[in-house]
Amino acid sequence: MLLSDLTLLQDEIILLLQRLSGSHSTNKKKIVFLINNLDQIIGIFQERRVSGKELNRFVELLMTQREVFVEEELLQSFSKMIAFVQQTEQHMNRPQFNNPTGVGGPRAAAEGHKLDINAQVVEGLVREFASTWKAGIEQINRNVLNNFANFRNGMEILKQVLTQLLLYYTRFQDIIRKVWRSKPPAFCKDLVSTSSILAEIKKYALAI
């Protein structure tokens, strides 16, 4: 009976948080509200040495909301590159592209126009990232620190956001290598090395 009551109480708390989050004007603000409150609940549980499924349910919800926030935050500064990566990967994962005997075999991978990839668009994305990525990371750092009251929670989220940015850019570079594998375009010289991005990330991750 007591366990049943606790489960019901958890359900009501979660529903209340979801309703209260609805009062915020943007999806990002709703996510920030949920993360801060879930983190606060978890902190109280840990202080009281509560463990088991009662704690785990809130931890899982917090992890889910963090992942949603990561994508929301990255879209503010790097939406064009992310959209390109997602759409192009979806296209390249189609069976006709992966089948060497079909119309989308290795030759298609070597010639960008057969994949409907506009070299000028890619060049624009390369140069835009090269000129804005440091400012973008700095803005992400400010946003995260301003949004999350718990410093450690904020630092963990910052690490997630910056790691995901590095992964997206690595995938972006992989697409360029696959599409123009025989003859890399001249704009490839403007690609930022992943080691440079990682070095910049470490500057902000020192406090973790």
Side-chain angles (χ1 to χ4, degrees):
M1 182 68 179
L2 180 59
L3 289 176
S4 176
D5 289 343
L6 284 172
T7 300
L8 181 60
L9 180 60
Q10 277 188 317
D11 291 341
E12 290 300 321
I13 290 172
I14 292 167
L15 286 172
L16 176 61
L17 289 176
Q18 290 173 340
R19 285 199 300 271
L20 291 173
S21 72
S23 65
H24 293 275
S25 58
T26 66
N27 191 47
K28 184 178 174 181
K29 288 181 179 179
K30 292 176 185 178
I31 298 164
V32 169
F33 172 85
L34 289 171
I35 290 175
N36 279 324
N37 281 276
L38 289 167
D39 180 65
Q40 187 75 14
I41 292 169
I42 292 167
I44 293 170
F45 275 32
Q46 290 172 338
E47 286 177 7
R48 302 292 189 274
R49 298 184 180 179
V50 177
S51 59
K53 65 179 182 180
E54 290 79 16
L55 174 63
N56 292 340
R57 185 174 182 190
F58 287 109
V59 171
E60 289 170 4
L61 285 171
L62 176 62
M63 295 301 104
T64 299
Q65 292 302 317
R66 279 182 175 181
E67 290 173 4
V68 176
F69 177 84
V70 165
E71 297 299 325
E72 285 280 337
E73 183 61 38
L74 287 175
L75 286 175
Q76 283 198 305
S77 300
F78 303 101
S79 59
K80 292 179 183 178
M81 182 191 70
I82 290 171
F84 173 82
V85 168
Q86 292 174 339
Q87 292 167 9
T88 305
E89 285 180 341
Q90 184 178 22
H91 183 86
M92 294 175 78
N93 286 332
R94 291 175 182 172
Q96 63 266 32
F97 178 81
N98 292 315
N99 178 10
T101 61
V103 295
R107 288 185 63 190
E111 299 179 40
H113 66 278
K114 290 188 178 180
L115 293 175
D116 296 323
I117 292 178
N118 187 318
Q120 289 183 330
V121 170
V122 179
E123 181 178 5
L125 292 172
V126 168
R127 291 184 172 167
E128 180 180 6
F129 187 88
S131 62
T132 63
W133 69 277
K134 284 190 177 182
I137 288 177
E138 186 178 347
Q139 183 62 53
I140 288 169
N141 179 63
R142 284 198 299 269
N143 290 345
V144 170
L145 294 181
N146 288 336
N147 279 316
F148 301 108
N150 183 328
F151 182 76
R152 175 152 289 279
N153 179 47
M155 287 296 98
E156 288 295 329
I157 293 170
L158 177 62
K159 184 168 70 172
Q160 280 184 254
V161 176
L162 297 181
T163 299
Q164 185 65 7
L165 172 62
L166 180 62
L167 290 174
Y168 270 125
Y169 194 65
T170 301
R171 286 157 61 185
F172 178 60
Q173 290 178 319
D174 287 343
I175 289 170
I176 293 173
R177 279 193 289 267
K178 288 177 182 178
V179 171
W180 290 284
R181 104 178 30 165
S182 60
K183 187 179 179 182
F187 60 72
C188 284
K189 64 179 173 51
D190 295 318
L191 286 168
V192 180
S193 69
T194 53
S195 60
S196 296
I197 299 173
L198 189 57
E200 191 72 13
I201 288 174
K202 286 181 178 178
K203 293 180 185 177
Y204 294 94
L206 287 176
I208 297 173

